[in-house]
Amino acid sequence: MNNVWNKIIYKIWSPIYDKIFNSKIFLRARKDIFLEMPFENSQRVLFVGVGTGADLELLNHIDLDITAIDYSPDMLGKASAKFKNSSIMFLEMDAQNMEFDDMSFDYVVGSLILSVVPDADKCFQEMRRVVKQEGRIVIFDKFSPSNHKLSLAKKVIRPLIRVLGTDIGLNFEELYLKNNENLLIEEDKPVMLKGMYRKIVIRRI
């Protein structure tokens, strides 16, 4: 995967994305995660890879200072059209090289983004960089088993799935060990498909 290809593939995905990833089991998972998040009035919240704005639909965004970024102008256009009368700031931006100051946000939300970007390490490092001290990173994504072992079937189809715009072999434990300075995992729980999809909340200390 690379940024050029991602723009192409998500241009294709954008008209049908909500029908797949904002319905049925995905919608139930998003509701479980974001309806219970303890956001407080006026907090600065960054959505990294906001896509079509599926998560934003579950929030009382009026009381929050929300910035939403995505590298795909087509996906971002879908999201901004849903909230054209809101105060949400939508920006076309690379999640691996964000144009924000250090420690800018109370919450940084990465929903189905680490498994999509070409370099998950860079993306995670940027999320850590822009979250405030005592702020939180909220991750909803798919990861390989914690023991690093993919099934034979997943090993076979992984290259094809990557061409379609996502990675089913990303290991969170490995990613976290390389980038966990001043971070503490507060919650890590399975939310979908027998734990393939997880909710992870990390506090910057």
Side-chain angles (χ1 to χ4, degrees):
M1 294 185 294
N2 59 57
N3 276 340
V4 174
W5 178 246
N6 272 354
K7 275 196 174 182
I8 295 170
I9 201 68
Y10 282 96
K11 182 179 183 67
I12 297 170
W13 273 114
S14 60
I16 61 172
Y17 187 90
D18 278 340
K19 294 178 181 178
I20 301 172
F21 297 106
N22 193 23
S23 64
K24 298 181 180 179
I25 60 173
F26 279 97
L27 180 57
R28 289 197 295 271
R30 291 180 192 276
K31 286 181 176 179
D32 287 344
I33 293 169
F34 295 107
L35 286 179
E36 66 181 30
M37 288 307 301
F39 298 123
E40 297 178 6
N41 288 357
S42 301
Q43 283 186 318
R44 295 197 71 198
V45 182
L46 173 65
F47 283 81
V48 181
V50 71
T52 60
D55 299 332
L56 298 177
E57 296 179 69
L58 304 174
L59 305 178
N60 181 11
H61 53 84
I62 295 174
D63 296 327
L64 298 170
D65 181 358
I66 296 176
T67 301
I69 70 168
D70 204 283
Y71 195 69
S72 165
D74 297 277
M75 298 287 275
L76 196 67
K78 291 281 185 182
S80 60
K82 293 177 182 178
F83 300 93
K84 58 185 177 182
N85 296 319
S86 76
S87 63
I88 299 172
M89 181 180 294
F90 292 95
L91 300 171
E92 186 178 334
M93 191 180 297
D94 186 354
Q96 302 162 118
N97 186 26
M98 291 191 263
E99 301 166 19
F100 303 116
D101 293 335
D102 295 354
M103 298 188 184
S104 294
F105 297 93
D106 299 288
Y107 278 88
V108 175
V109 179
S111 185
L112 304 181
I113 183 65
L114 289 172
S115 59
V116 168
V117 292
D119 192 327
D121 278 307
K122 285 185 178 180
C123 182
F124 190 79
Q125 289 163 11
E126 282 291 271
M127 293 166 72
R128 181 186 65 186
R129 180 182 68 80
V130 301
V131 72
K132 293 179 180 179
Q133 188 170 3
E134 297 303 323
R136 283 160 176 83
I137 300 170
V138 181
I139 296 169
F140 167 48
D141 219 322
K142 57 185 171 296
F143 297 104
S144 66
S146 58
N147 62 10
H148 298 245
K149 293 181 180 179
L150 287 177
S151 67
L152 178 60
K154 287 184 178 180
K155 287 180 180 178
V156 170
I157 66 171
R158 184 182 183 186
L160 174 61
I161 299 298
R162 285 179 65 89
V163 170
L164 295 176
T166 190
D167 185 7
I168 59 172
L170 181 64
N171 184 271
F172 175 75
E173 284 70 26
E174 184 178 283
L175 180 69
Y176 183 73
L177 281 175
K178 290 189 291 185
N179 303 288
N180 65 358
E181 184 179 357
N182 299 322
L183 297 180
L184 177 67
I185 296 175
E186 292 189 326
E187 184 178 0
D188 183 353
K189 72 175 186 179
V191 293
M192 204 172 78
L193 296 181
K194 298 181 179 180
M196 180 179 180
Y197 287 80
R198 292 153 62 181
K199 172 191 176 183
I200 301 170
V201 180
I202 304 167
R203 176 165 58 93
R204 178 166 181 168
I205 55 178

